[in-house]
Amino acid sequence: MGMVIENTFAELIYGLIFIFWAIYVYFVKDYGYWEERGVPHVPPVFPFGSTVRNVWNRCYRGITYDQIYRDFRDERFVGLIDIRNPSLLVRDPELIGHILEKDFSNFTDHTMVDPNPAEYLLNHLYNLKGQEWRDMRHKLAPAYTAAKVKMMFCLVQRCSADLRKAFTKLTSNNSVVNVKDCMSRFTMDVIATCVYGVEINSLENVDSEFCLMGRKSNEVSVVMLLKMYLMNAFPIFKKIHCFNYMDSDVTEFFTRTIRSAVEYRESQSVERFDFLDLLIKLRRNQSILEEGEKSPDLPGSSTLRKREGLTIEEITAQTFAFFAAGYETTANTIMFCLYELACDNRIQDKLSWEVKEVLGRHGGDISYQALQEMSYMEQVIKESLRRYPILPYLTRTCSGNYKLPNSNVEIQTGHQVVIPVYSLHHDPNYFPEPFTFNPERFSHSSNLHPHVYLPFGEGPRMCIGKQFGLTSVKTALASLVSDYKISLAPGTDVPLKLKNNPFTTLPSKPLMLVFTRRNATVQ
């Protein structure tokens, strides 16, 4: 017998109806937020908000936001509901400039799902917020300067030599190459040697533990998407920290690798002139600035706190950030460059000629200085990053109520701002014929608005590893373009279809290209 009414089944039905009603009210209470403020908006759908396809990874997010960008082409900004929280998609480059630079103090933080504090691997620079981010950025900035990249370039050169050897073997019997797999292994080798001090040569050792853990750390599972949804929908989960994002095997592997490397170098007084060396100096509170080198200033730098040297856990987190930010993104950039070169022989031949001409002036060696002189390569990379931006959108969280310039609209503390990078990069108002791959458009890029081309972000929170990543991309391209003629394999999509991925830009299926030796002297 039921406790309230006699029919137990009816009592159960009424209970379920009440629970559904309570959840429905909880979700929809802010669904009219933007309409009440007279802001153009995308109507939300219970229980997913305005971007249903984003929640379950049903569409490439760059395309999702691009549809909204195009539907509201006459608006400066568009209201959205992110599951149940108001957010704002910003279309106006001037307003984007305010958010990323001029009024940065109101938008210092990336919009991230707060990890469990025990998951120290995720407490790295990208995820840190507010004062913690300022302190760590100030400490790490000198480790990412051009001088430090140049110092480590000899390690990158070794990896490029391994890349050339690997391609000689790969193309000896079959000239069709899985480009994504090879470039991921090359990038893995570069990061392993420059950051962790480990030479793994994953191009030969295809089953290396480093590769396995690297792939595992980048997997996006249905379970992870569900956790992200629940954390966004029910903030209580952020406070009680009942979810973990990182696989325990991944955390244990990277911690063990760093701990053993640090202990060995400190006990044996070993210096390798790599990124880990710099972090060990920071651990000892030593300066890593070169003579005459100045640390980059940050907004709010007067409030920086003096802090102790880095702990092992902090070193592990910062090296993992280097790995997480550089592994997929660098490999993808190389892959997309090679694809576009395969699509257009004119561009490929022009780049090949430049590489041979510059290397000829430098004794045939791929040196750091030689790469700086390859101006057309710079244009090819920039155009590839325009067509296939590493991150299709940027997010910022408002840290204090902010009234939008030339508007009556105010962004509330805690609300998210979305900057649709993919859409800006493909807006014909800024890039005529946006789906045409045209490196020459960057020969006169000084005419470009500073906030419509954002492959690395902009302002104080732009990618700190930009210089290192670009150097790795240039090295791989110079190594391959000088040796091989590249063409499309049968069945390759033209244009490329993009994968439904919530984080980075990827092709929908493995990218296969044909590499044919330009001459018989390739070793």
Side-chain angles (χ1 to χ4, degrees), residues 345-401:
N345 287 330
R346 181 191 66 82
I347 295 173
Q348 183 180 168
D349 291 343
K350 185 174 180 178
L351 179 59
S352 175
W353 180 88
E354 179 186 70
V355 170
K356 288 181 179 178
E357 191 274 329
V358 173
L359 294 185
R361 289 192 274 108
H362 288 266
D365 294 329
I366 300 176
S367 65
Y368 183 82
Q369 181 56 41
L371 294 180
Q372 308 315 304
E373 295 175 16
M374 296 180 186
S375 58
Y376 190 65
M377 178 180 284
E378 186 88 17
Q379 293 171 30
V380 168
I381 295 171
K382 283 184 175 180
E383 176 69 345
S384 182
L385 287 169
R386 182 195 67 80
R387 278 287 285 117
Y388 312 99
I390 296 168
L391 297 177
Y393 62 98
L394 303 174
T395 60
R396 295 291 187 271
T397 298
C398 184
S399 56
N401 291 357

Side-chain angles (χ1 to χ4, degrees), residues 143-146 148-153 155-156 187 189-195 274-275 322 326 330 368 456 463-475:
Y144 288 89
T145 61
K148 300 302 190 301
V149 175
K150 188 175 182 179
M151 175 188 78
M152 290 184 273
F153 186 71
L155 302 175
V156 181
T187 306
D189 288 351
V190 170
I191 293 175
T193 190
C194 292
V195 179
D274 57 14
F275 185 69
F322 201 121
T330 303
Y368 183 82
F456 297 97
C463 177
I464 195 172
K466 171 184 174 181
Q467 191 70 31
F468 185 87
L470 288 176
T471 299
S472 299
V473 173
K474 291 177 182 178
T475 303

Side-chain angles (χ1 to χ4, degrees), residues 268-285:
Q268 302 297 320
S269 300
V270 172
E271 288 192 6
R272 199 170 178 270
F273 304 105
D274 57 14
F275 185 69
L276 185 56
D277 268 1
L278 300 174
L279 294 185
I280 290 173
K281 288 181 179 178
L282 292 176
R283 173 175 164 81
R284 300 169 182 159
N285 268 327

Side-chain angles (χ1 to χ4, degrees), residues 93 96-97 99-101 104 107 110 126 133 137 325 329 382 385-386 388-396 418-422 424-425 448-467 470:
I96 291 171
I99 292 166
L100 297 182
E101 297 192 83
F104 173 74
F107 300 94
H110 291 132
Y126 188 88
W133 168 78
R137 173 84 180 208
T329 55
K382 283 184 175 180
L385 287 169
R386 182 195 67 80
Y388 312 99
I390 296 168
L391 297 177
Y393 62 98
L394 303 174
T395 60
R396 295 291 187 271
V418 177
I419 299 169
V421 175
Y422 178 89
L424 293 165
H425 286 194
L448 201 59
H449 191 287
H451 298 110
V452 299
Y453 181 70
L454 302 167
F456 297 97
E458 196 55 77
R461 285 212 81 146
M462 75 180 299
C463 177
I464 195 172
K466 171 184 174 181
Q467 191 70 31
L470 288 176

Side-chain angles (χ1 to χ4, degrees), residues 499-512:
K499 186 176 182 180
N500 300 343
N501 188 292
F503 302 119
T504 58
T505 304
L506 289 166
S508 61
K509 62 182 182 182
L511 179 58
M512 312 300 290

